[in-house]
């Protein structure tokens, strides 16, 4: 039954939505000079306007064309010009497919590292996308409706999961960015929307209103990008500057129960988006070739052009200067404007009626079969899982100029039901050097994907912590939610601690700092880097020690850099826990009266009152009474706790700010949040902090135990 | 230069010989000539039975021959309705033309009879179990329906078992199947059209449809494709699938549905579809066929809507698990172990370390072994099936794991996959192929291979059309009206307001 394929508006909506969202997810420091998710959110709004304007020729074209694409229309009046048009469009679609492949392959190789050779990846991807292009735009459109539904659901899950990890203080520098960053991000978003120009070849097959469909898809997709950017920025904060792919890093923080790595959802979305993007480009390329002067050779030309794309991608990956030119947003923008705005305007002026000739012969499917049969180029020789050392904890100590890395790992070959952990120590001139030696000494390749803790020795922590942690930030398997500890002695002492000849598994350390959403955020590399990158905060890390063959939580250390590290004393620690709002079951004891904190909430507001700077800190604690030897009343107990805590906190905060110059309570960030423009200057608010008034109000409330 | 390729192609697919249309030989007035021709056609086959009788008239006798095929007729009916009336008839003489009318209307008491004019028709009817009555001096003959060949009794189909549906399934004779459909769908709009396919076998097929619901375009297309089917023999309905499908039978999913149940066939006809019955096959073909129909059973419509929704989702999940799970396991274990939960990772690593094969090899090998066992189980005599199941269960399941030949996680993964694949038996062939493909893609290219193959699979499903109906409808293109019965089953009060037909799915 011959039935010309017609594409519904929702299918086009889905195609444009998937491709624009994917292009935004490729936002990285390979595509944009300065990463700023907050500005990306603003740029997405501008991109709606720009894309809508640039799509005007498409709307006009859709109204006037009946059964013709842009090449055919010009061919009727200006054959020579149509040849030029077709060549330009062919090059453009090859270029857009190339860029999509490139960015995705860079993600794979530099960040995720599956061990797949580039050539195999390009062949596989191009084969799959070529198959899809061969099936036609209707098949791609229908598939896109399914993919877009999955993408929307996944984005909802991602947003919902990340919302609870947002730190409002990360939004402190909103509206103080340079306009150029908004401009660059807008160029990026517009230039990478390659689905719009491809519509010129399919618009005659679309049923319904093209204008409404395209506009709505542009608006929805950019608003989605905006929302994702805002949420991701709220979660990552300054950590964004350490990662090349901020969206991917944000999804690495999602955990749902036993499912720790939900970033695989994001990777699936990326792959699907890349697939649709490249398929659409190749499908438009086919249409272009079949309607051009080379229509007779289309059967051979199509696969040849696809192979050329693959070769160009392979070359671009290898040579950075070529890659830089290829992925330059400005060059992409120029080509985008030419094929989306200028050429179609010319075509609209040269509109004419012409019967469409019969389609060119079918493309060869044998190429696909041959390309798929290249297993030798696959990654099947990658190291098997049982040959890898599954590391559960890493300890770093520095002796002189050498780093000693102690690693606790799971013994895969242990018999019996109980999993045995083992330790190994290697030394190197750097962390990376030492980690590289692990394979030589143990025979297994280290695997940090399940690493749960990084412990730094006391003396080592006085050095450059960012440099120490840099390896674990950039390592492809590592996650930003890994817990960070500082040992009172050396990291080796903690990791090699034995009880009954068995090493204490590092997993048990999680019970030291009870796991909940607040604590999980606080004691991680993410939080540490966020604090250290922020010019106001003094980064903190949990201090642990060995006490009678057990590992105990000691306190928190303020790491000031330049050889400074200060372990908070008991009062400072209590103040820290209270002001930061840690729900850790802290036991407070005053004159025989003791209680356990079950819930803690803190609100810090900075107020600039002309000559003085005030911080209003209000804390509310729920306390369960443990011991009440004098049988005091509830109100009396609450008063005692409140007063004692207030006294402790008051002296501790002033001491920290004025004497020790440690801003462990992130007061500086609160100040910036209150007035970003005024307090953008670091020196200005550092001085302000020293002369500020801190008004602390603590309310304690006794509660019954729930069990 | 490329002549050798063309020659190889011609060898593999020789050009089709033109369809032979033998001339129609009319029945001669001379009975002996007709009988000689028939004997020559059948090469004096021993099962061709010719009973000569004399019709007594007042002025003489007229010779009549009753031609049947041994074992194809009911002898009692034959003698009651044909031979006895002929032998007892005794009336006045009439002219030759009147003899045929008298034989047709007064002598033959069987109401199922047709007039035949050509030798070809005589042979067709004889081989369908009819008794052909040829009269000396008449140009026409009579084919009387006295079929009495043995066939299997109506039983419940093995492949489509329902909890609350009927226990009747199609049988081999097409006429019995027609009656089963007619009994269920007592509508005057129900129409049956028969035709013969197979130059040698002349197998009877029957197109069944409702004239007020069916799409004329689809019906004409089906007829056209069947008429152009160049088959010598048709022994199973599966032969026709290649002609009925748009892209031949090399596609991953079939655009032609199969059912062994008359109630299902009736339900499909009410949706505007065409059901094709093939003589000798206890299953009916249904066109057009879309993807979501593989997940629908009649039980869904007998149960509560919420339970039907649960079972539907179970089937969808089972489909996804059956194709994705082994490949995903291989991809994660080989390329991205960081995505495993921590405890699972250690167990997987420990089990793999104790086996000699890589994860990819293990999963592929074990899946292959299972397919061998499944195929063996299908062909085995039932008496031996018990022994094989013990060997399969104990040896493969227990001993192989204990000896360290394969790992327990692999065994569990493959077992779960296999169980899930039987939840949707209609898709077993596709699932089996896809499972292997996903394992290979996962083993060679990891998660990216899985994702890309999944994308290709979706595109493949979306690109397919069955008689103009998109195979992925009503999901893509989206039809909210059609979605009432896809992921959940709306209650009957909603469904009965208007039936979803093929027309609704074609018009986007």
């Amino acid at each position: 039954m011959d039935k010309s394929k017609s594409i519904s508006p929702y299918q086009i909506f889905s195609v444009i939505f998937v491709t624009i969202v994917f292009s935004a997810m490729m936002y990285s420091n390979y595509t944009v000079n300065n990463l700023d998710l907050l500005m990306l959110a603003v740029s997405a709004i501008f991109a709606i306007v720009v894309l809508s304007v640039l799509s005007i020729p498409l709307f006009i074209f859709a109204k006037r064309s009946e059964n013709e694409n842009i090449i055919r229309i010009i061919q009727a009046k200006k054959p020579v010009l149509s040849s030029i048009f077709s060549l330009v469009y062919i090059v453009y679609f090859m270029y857009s497919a190339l860029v999509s492949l490139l960015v995705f392959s860079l993600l794979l190789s530099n960040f995720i590292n599956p061990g797949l050779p580039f050539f195999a990846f390009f062949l596989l991807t191009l084969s799959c996308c070529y198959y899809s292009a061969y099936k036609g735009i209707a098949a791609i459109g229908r598939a896109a409706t399914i993919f877009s539904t999955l993408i929307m659901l996944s984005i909802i899950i991602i947003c919902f999961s990340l919302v609870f990890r947002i730190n409002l203080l990360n939004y402190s520098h909103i509206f103080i960015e340079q306009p150029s960053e908004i401009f660059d991000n807008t160029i990026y978003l517009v230039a990478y929307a390659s689905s719009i120009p491809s519509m010129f070849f399919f618009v005659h097959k679309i049923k319904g209103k093209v204008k409404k469909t395209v506009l709505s898809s542009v608006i929805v997709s950019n608003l989605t990008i905006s929302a994702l950017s805002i949420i991701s920025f709220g979660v990552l904060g300054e950590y964004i500057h350490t990662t090349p792919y901020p969206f991917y890093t944000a999804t690495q923080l999602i955990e749902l129960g036993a499912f720790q790595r939900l970033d695989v959802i994001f990777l699936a979305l990326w792959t699907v988006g890349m697939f649709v993007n490249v398929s659409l480009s190749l499908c438009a390329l086919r249409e272009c070739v079949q309607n051009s002067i080379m229509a007779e050779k289309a059967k051979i030309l199509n696969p040849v052009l696809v192979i050329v794309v693959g070769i160009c991608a392979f070359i671009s990956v290898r040579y950075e200067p070529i890659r830089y030119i290829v992925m330059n947003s400005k060059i992409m923008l120029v080509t985008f404007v030419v094929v989306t705005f200028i050429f179609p305007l010319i075509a609209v002026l040269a509109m004419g009626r012409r019967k469409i000739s019969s389609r060119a012969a079918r493309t060869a499917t044998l190429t696909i079969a041959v390309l798929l049969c290249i297993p030798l180029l696959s990654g099947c020789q990658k190291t098997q899982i049982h040959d890898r050392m599954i590391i559960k904890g890493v300890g770093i100590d520095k002796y002189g100029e050498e780093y000693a890395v102690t690693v606790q790992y799971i013994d895969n070959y242990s018999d019996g039901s109980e999993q045995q952990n083992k330790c190994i120590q290697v030394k190197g001139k750097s962390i990376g050097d030492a980690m590289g030696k692990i394979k030589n000494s143990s025979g297994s390749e280290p695997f940090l994907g399940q690493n749960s803790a990084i412990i730094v020795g006391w003396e080592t922590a006085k050095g450059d912590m960012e440099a120490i942690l840099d390896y674990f930030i950039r390592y492809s398997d590592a996650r930003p939610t890994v817990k960070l500890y500082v040992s009172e002695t050396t990291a080796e002492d903690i990791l090699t601690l034995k009880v009954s000849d068995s090493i204490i598994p590092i997993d048990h350390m999680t019970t030291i700092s009870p796991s909940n959403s607040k604590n999980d955020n606080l004691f991680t590399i993410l939080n540490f880097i966020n604090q250290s990158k922020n010019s106001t905060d003094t980064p903190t890390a949990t201090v642990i020690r060995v006490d009678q063959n057990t590992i105990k939580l000691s306190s928190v250390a303020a790491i000031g850099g330049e050889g400074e590290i200060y372990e908070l004393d008991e009062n400072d620690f209590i103040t820290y826990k209270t002001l930061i709002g840690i729900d850790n079951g802290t036991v407070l004891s005053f004159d025989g009266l003791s209680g356990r904190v079950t819930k803690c909430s803190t609100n810090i507001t900075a107020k600039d009152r002309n000559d003085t700077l005030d911080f209003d800190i209000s804390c509310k604690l729920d306390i369960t009474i443990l011991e009440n030897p004098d049988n005091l009343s509830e109100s009396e107990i609450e008063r005692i706790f409140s007063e004692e805590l207030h006294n402790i906190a008051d002296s501790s905060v002033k001491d920290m700010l004025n004497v020790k110059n440690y801003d462990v309570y992130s007061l500086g960030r609160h100040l910036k949040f209150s007035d970003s423009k005024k307090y953008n200057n670091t020196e200005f608010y550092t001085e302000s902090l020293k002369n500020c008034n801190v008004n602390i109000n603590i309310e304690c409330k006794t509660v019954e135990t729930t069990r | 230069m490329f002549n050798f390729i063309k020659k190889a192609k011609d060898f593999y697919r020789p050009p089709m010989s033109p369809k032979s249309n033998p001339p129609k030989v009319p029945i001669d007035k001379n009975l002996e000539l007709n009988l000689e021709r028939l004997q020559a056609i059948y090469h004096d086959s021993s099962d061709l039975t010719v009973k000569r009788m004399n019709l007594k008239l007042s002025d003489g006798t007229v010779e009549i021959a009753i031609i049947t095929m041994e074992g194809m007729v009911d002898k009692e009916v034959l003698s009651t309705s044909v031979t006895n009336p002929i032998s007892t008839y005794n009336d006045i003489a009439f002219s030759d033309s009147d003899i045929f009318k008298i034989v047709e209307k007064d002598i033959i008491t069987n109401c199922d009879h047709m007039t035949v004019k050509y030798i070809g028709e005589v042979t067709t009817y004889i081989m369908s179990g009819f008794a052909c009555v040829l009269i000396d001096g008449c140009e026409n003959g009579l084919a009387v329906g006295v079929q009495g060949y043995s066939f299997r009794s109506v039983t419940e189909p093995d492949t489509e078992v329902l909890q609350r549906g009927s226990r009747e399934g199609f049988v081999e004779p097409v006429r019995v199947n027609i009656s089963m459909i007619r009994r269920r769908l007592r509508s005057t709009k129900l129409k049956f059209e028969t035709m013969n396919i197979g130059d040698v076998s002349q197998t009877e097929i029957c197109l069944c449809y409702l004239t007020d619901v069916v799409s004329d375009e689809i019906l004409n297309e089906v007829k056209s494709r069947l008429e152009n089917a160049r088959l010598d023999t048709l022994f199973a309905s599966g032969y026709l699938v290649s002609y009925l499908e748009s892209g031949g039978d090399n596609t991953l999913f079939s655009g032609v549905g199969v059912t062994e149940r008359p109630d299902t066939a009736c339900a499909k006809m009410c949706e505007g579809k065409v059901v094709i019955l093939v003589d000798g096959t206890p299953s009916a073909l249904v066109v057009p066929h879309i993807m979501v129909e593989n997940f629908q059973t009649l039980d869904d419509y007998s149960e509560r809507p919420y339970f039907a929704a649960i079972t539907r989702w179970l089937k969808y999940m089972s489909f996804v698990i059956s194709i994705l799970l082994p490949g995903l396991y291989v991809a994660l274990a080989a390329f991205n172990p960081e995505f495993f939960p921590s405890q699972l990772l250690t167990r997987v690593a420990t089990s793999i370390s104790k086996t000699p094969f890589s994860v990819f090899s293990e999963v592929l090998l074990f899946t292959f072994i299972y397919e061998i066992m499944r195929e063996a189980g299908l062909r085995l005599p039932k008496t031996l099936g018990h022994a094989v199941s013990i060997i399969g269960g104990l040896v493969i399941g227990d001993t192989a794991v204990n000896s360290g030949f394969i790992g327990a996680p692999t065994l569990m993964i493959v077992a779960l996959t296999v169980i899930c694949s039987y939840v949707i038996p209609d898709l077993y062939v596709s699932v089996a192929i896809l499972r292997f493909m996903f394992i290979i893609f996962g083993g060679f290219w990891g998660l990216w291979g899985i994702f890309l193959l999944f994308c290709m699979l979706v595109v493949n499903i979306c690109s397919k059309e069955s008689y103009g109906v998109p195979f992925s409808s009503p999901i893509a293109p989206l039809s909210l009206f059609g979605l009432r019965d896809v992921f959940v089953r709306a209650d009957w009060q909603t469904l009965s307001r208007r039936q979803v037909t093929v027309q609704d799915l074609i018009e986007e």
Side-chain angles (χ1 to χ4, degrees), chain A residues 1 3 5-8 10-11 104 108 112 114 116 120-121 124-125 128 131-132 135 138-140 142-143 145-147 150 207 248 258 260-261 263-264 267-268 271-272 274-275 372 374-375 378-380 382-386 388 390 392 410 412-415 419 447 449-450 477 507, chain B residues 215 217-218 221 225 246 332-343 345-355 357-360 441 443-449 451-465 467-468 470-472 475-478 506-508:
Chain A
M1 182 177 285
K3 189 173 182 285
K5 296 196 186 289
S6 61
I7 313 161
S8 71
Y10 185 58
Q11 290 171 13
F104 194 72
L108 279 187
I112 298 174
L116 211 59
F121 169 72
L124 172 69
T125 311
C128 297
Y131 170 80
S132 168
K135 285 291 180 184
I140 296 174
R142 287 175 202 156
T145 58
I146 297 171
F147 293 145
L150 294 173
K207 278 171 113 175
Y248 178 62
Q260 296 168 358
R261 293 299 298 261
D263 50 327
V264 69
L267 292 173
T271 311
V272 163
M274 184 267 302
F275 176 83
L372 283 176
I374 313 181
S378 76
C380 58
K382 190 174 161 63
T383 310
Q384 297 298 310
I385 184 174
H386 57 283
R388 303 189 78 176
I390 302 171
K392 300 299 286 182
I410 293 172
N412 287 338
Y413 295 91
S414 60
D415 293 322
Q419 199 71 48
F447 174 62
Q450 297 288 335
D477 291 340
D507 301 67
Chain B
S215 162
E217 279 182 6
I218 292 175
E221 182 68 21
R225 291 190 189 187
S246 299
L332 289 179
F335 288 87
N336 299 99
E338 63 269 18
F339 292 119
F340 277 121
S342 183
Q343 284 193 346
L345 175 64
T346 53
R347 290 187 194 282
V348 167
T350 307
S351 76
I352 293 170
S353 65
K354 292 175 182 170
T355 60
F357 303 110
S358 66
V359 180
F360 173 51
F441 268 67
F444 284 144
W445 292 289
L447 273 182
W448 323 111
F451 293 151
L452 284 172
L453 183 59
F454 180 76
C455 292
M456 276 176 65
L457 174 64
V458 172
V459 168
N460 180 273
I461 292 172
C462 292
S463 66
K464 192 176 169 64
E465 284 191 356
Y467 293 88
F471 193 64
S472 53
I475 299 170
L478 186 65
I506 292 177
E507 294 160 14
E508 296 174 24

Side-chain angles (χ1 to χ4, degrees), chain A residues 139-157:
Chain A
I140 296 174
R142 287 175 202 156
T145 58
I146 297 171
F147 293 145
S148 64
T149 310
L150 294 173
I151 286 173
M152 283 183 209
L153 282 172
S154 303
I155 288 175
I156 291 170
I157 292 172

Side-chain angles (χ1 to χ4, degrees), chain B residues 231-443:
Chain B
L231 285 168
D232 290 331
T233 55
L234 177 59
F235 295 133
S237 57
Y239 292 32
L240 291 178
V241 171
S242 180
Y243 295 95
L244 291 170
E245 284 242 41
S246 299
D249 53 4
N250 290 324
T251 54
L252 200 55
F253 294 94
S254 177
V256 177
V258 179
T259 180
E260 289 190 17
R261 303 187 66 89
D263 40 10
T264 306
C266 293
K268 298 296 179 191
M269 279 191 275
C270 293
E271 292 173 4
K273 299 184 183 178
V274 178
V275 172
I276 301 158
L277 301 169
V278 177
D279 189 41
T281 310
S283 58
L285 302 176
V286 182
V287 292
H289 180 72
I290 55 177
M291 181 72 179
V292 295
E293 287 183 277
N294 296 308
F295 301 92
Q296 295 169 343
T297 59
L298 268 184
D299 262 342
D300 297 343
Y301 302 93
S302 309
E303 299 288 350
R304 301 275 185 180
Y306 52 83
F307 187 73
I310 291 170
T311 49
R312 286 271 171 92
W313 275 100
L314 274 176
K315 287 174 195 167
Y316 288 122
M317 282 163 50
S318 298
F319 175 68
V320 172
I321 290 171
S322 60
I323 59 171
L324 277 182
L325 186 62
L328 211 55
Y329 172 68
V330 169
L332 289 179
F335 288 87
N336 299 99
E338 63 269 18
F339 292 119
F340 277 121
S342 183
Q343 284 193 346
L344 179 61
L345 175 64
T346 53
R347 290 187 194 282
V348 167
T350 307
S351 76
I352 293 170
S353 65
K354 292 175 182 170
T355 60
F357 303 110
S358 66
V359 180
F360 173 51
S361 311
E362 237 176 59
V363 172
L364 201 62
L365 184 66
F366 199 61
T367 308
F368 184 64
I369 288 172
Y370 162 71
E371 290 296 329
I372 292 174
M373 283 173 57
R374 186 192 67 87
E375 197 62 29
L378 278 177
R379 315 290 164 214
L380 269 178
K382 285 186 182 167
T383 47
L384 289 178
H386 207 64
V388 171
S389 65
I390 291 170
I391 293 169
L394 286 179
V395 172
I396 305 294
D398 194 43
T399 313
V401 172
N402 288 338
S403 65
F405 191 73
I406 57 168
T410 304
L411 180 62
M412 197 200 70
I413 294 284
V414 175
L416 181 62
T417 304
V418 159
I419 292 169
C420 288
S421 64
Y422 283 118
V423 175
I424 334 115
D426 293 342
L427 286 177
Y428 185 82
V429 171
S430 311
V431 162
I433 303 292
L434 283 171
R435 191 186 307 147
F436 276 109
M437 289 173 70
F438 273 102
I439 292 171
I440 290 169
F441 268 67

Side-chain angles (χ1 to χ4, degrees), chain B residues 85-236:
Chain B
I86 291 174
S87 63
T88 55
Y89 189 81
N90 188 350
D91 209 330
I92 58 173
F94 290 93
S95 65
D96 289 354
S97 58
D98 287 337
I99 290 176
F100 180 78
K101 281 184 190 168
I102 292 298
V103 168
E104 183 189 15
K105 289 181 182 172
D106 295 336
I107 298 178
I108 303 296
T109 57
N110 195 318
C111 53
D112 179 18
H113 63 267
M114 272 74 63
T115 304
V116 292
K117 295 184 180 177
Y118 300 99
I119 294 292
E121 287 177 348
V122 170
T123 55
T124 304
Y125 279 114
I126 287 172
M127 288 186 292
S128 300
F130 282 69
C132 278
V133 179
L134 296 178
I135 306 165
D136 191 31
C138 293
E139 288 173 334
N140 294 331
L142 271 175
V144 185
V146 292
Q147 294 96 324
Y149 44 75
S150 56
F151 58 88
R152 186 172 56 89
S153 59
V154 174
T155 54
E156 185 175 18
D158 292 328
T159 56
E160 290 177 69
V161 178
L162 298 183
Q163 300 291 321
R164 296 175 66 174
S166 83
R167 300 286 186 253
E168 284 185 344
F170 285 130
V171 288
E172 280 72 8
V174 69
R175 297 284 161 180
V176 176
N177 296 335
I178 288 171
S179 69
M180 290 168 81
I181 291 175
R182 179 64 75 181
R183 210 157 37 82
R184 282 171 173 77
L185 213 51
R186 297 175 194 183
S187 167
T188 53
K189 309 291 181 188
L190 175 62
K191 184 174 175 184
F192 299 100
E193 276 187 42
T194 58
M195 57 174 76
N196 290 343
I197 289 186
D199 294 339
V200 175
S201 64
Q202 289 293 314
T203 307
E204 188 180 13
I205 70 166
C206 180
L207 271 64
C208 322
Y209 54 90
L210 286 171
T211 52
D212 58 339
V213 183
V214 74
S215 162
D216 290 331
E217 279 182 6
I218 292 175
L219 182 63
N220 292 336
E221 182 68 21
V222 170
K223 285 183 192 174
S224 162
R225 291 190 189 187
L226 288 172
E227 280 162 8
N228 290 330
R230 300 296 309 279
L231 285 168
D232 290 331
T233 55
L234 177 59
F235 295 133

